[in-house]
Amino acid sequence: MEEYFGLLQRSPLFESVDTEGMRHILHCLEAYVSTVGKGEIINHYGDRIVWAGIVLEGKVALIAPGSDGEESSIRLAVPPESFGCSHSCLQNQPSQVTVVARKRTKILFLKLSKLLRREAMGCRYASLVTANLLKQTAAANLAQGRRIHVMSQKSIRDKLLLFLEQSRQEEADTLSAMNRQELADYLGTERSALSREMARMKKEGLIDYCRNEIKILSEN
């Protein structure tokens, strides 16, 4: 597990945690590493989640069911991003998403509920990770707000331009981790309709793209 300490220290959850602290806190949180195959479901919709996960290798998608039976990917997690943190802390709450591996993926699982025990309050490493968890949860809430803003746009073009602008401002690599279907799911549209609109926008000189890389060429 120590081979991943450098990666984990780039995770918001372990910000400012040194090597000694990493060993200590991973032991306390009963951490273990597991590998899942492409397409394998890690958590089902409605599950009570005991373990949070941090992606060490690969990619997972958080998928929400729609009222019409269709499913959409609402978020991707790539190294060293996490999933299931809030539900791991509050284990009586059913998961609102299904988590599935998009490729062969290695995951570090953690029992974050142990951070809320009385004995953890006196541990400086547990206190640090708890503070990081609070900041990460706040950031996740802001990200959800940004997606709601994107989804509120009336046209595919406006949705895509707003999302590209948000990604540029945040210097995020989330977009490059998405394939075309995942981007369509995030924007709440059909892949074919998104591809047609992107082709028109490229012809008009608004954007350029190559595979998963998309950039804005014009502010208009």
Side-chain angles (χ1 to χ4, degrees):
M1 193 179 297
E2 293 196 9
E3 64 187 288
Y4 293 106
F5 278 12
L7 175 68
L8 291 173
Q9 286 168 331
R10 300 202 306 270
S11 166
L13 192 61
F14 294 112
E15 182 182 353
S16 301
V17 178
D18 58 24
T19 300
E20 178 187 354
M22 190 72 70
R23 292 193 188 99
H24 177 84
I25 199 66
L26 291 180
H27 174 75
C28 291
L29 299 181
E30 301 179 20
Y32 71 95
V33 175
S34 181
T35 300
V36 296
K38 180 180 179 181
E40 187 173 340
I41 293 177
I42 301 158
N43 296 323
H44 289 84
Y45 176 83
D47 282 352
R48 262 60 177 181
I49 307 301
V50 175
W51 302 89
I54 295 180
V55 180
L56 302 176
E57 300 175 15
K59 178 171 65 174
V60 304
L62 281 65
I63 299 173
S67 57
D68 57 359
E70 295 293 323
E71 296 181 331
S72 63
S73 175
I74 63 170
R75 184 168 76 84
L76 297 174
V78 297
E81 296 175 336
S82 58
F83 60 90
C85 293
S86 296
H87 284 84
S88 177
C89 291
L90 302 172
Q91 297 177 19
N92 62 331
Q93 299 297 314
S95 175
Q96 297 176 326
V97 296
T98 293
V99 183
V100 59
R102 288 301 194 198
K103 56 175 70 174
R104 186 176 184 275
T105 300
K106 189 169 288 187
I107 300 168
L108 175 70
F109 288 100
L110 307 160
K111 193 176 289 186
L112 294 184
S113 59
K114 299 193 73 175
L115 293 171
L116 307 181
R117 295 182 178 181
R118 185 181 300 275
E119 56 267 28
M121 296 180 183
C123 173
R124 65 188 181 98
Y125 297 124
S127 297
L128 178 56
V129 173
T130 300
N132 288 341
L133 178 61
L134 178 60
K135 289 189 290 185
Q136 180 176 287
T137 302
N141 288 339
L142 291 174
Q144 183 63 22
R146 286 191 291 270
R147 191 190 182 207
I148 291 172
H149 188 193
V150 168
M151 294 290 287
S152 70
Q153 305 304 303
K154 290 184 170 57
S155 69
I156 296 174
R157 176 173 298 204
D158 288 343
K159 289 180 180 181
L160 180 59
L161 287 174
L162 178 57
F163 177 58
L164 292 173
E165 184 59 34
Q166 289 177 350
S167 298
R168 183 168 65 178
Q169 290 174 356
E170 298 158 21
E171 298 182 350
D173 59 0
T174 303
L175 179 60
S176 62
M178 290 184 178
N179 59 36
R180 192 62 55 83
Q181 182 60 60
E182 289 163 345
L183 178 58
D185 288 343
Y186 183 91
L187 298 177
T189 188
E190 296 291 331
R191 176 178 175 174
S192 57
L194 174 62
S195 295
R196 287 194 298 271
E197 186 60 38
M198 286 177 61
R200 284 193 288 264
M201 293 170 71
K202 183 174 183 178
K203 186 176 181 179
E204 294 172 22
L206 293 175
I207 63 171
D208 193 14
Y209 55 85
C210 179
R211 296 186 179 181
N212 295 350
E213 299 292 334
I214 311 172
K215 60 182 179 180
I216 299 176
L217 298 180
S218 172
E219 299 296 330
N220 299 318

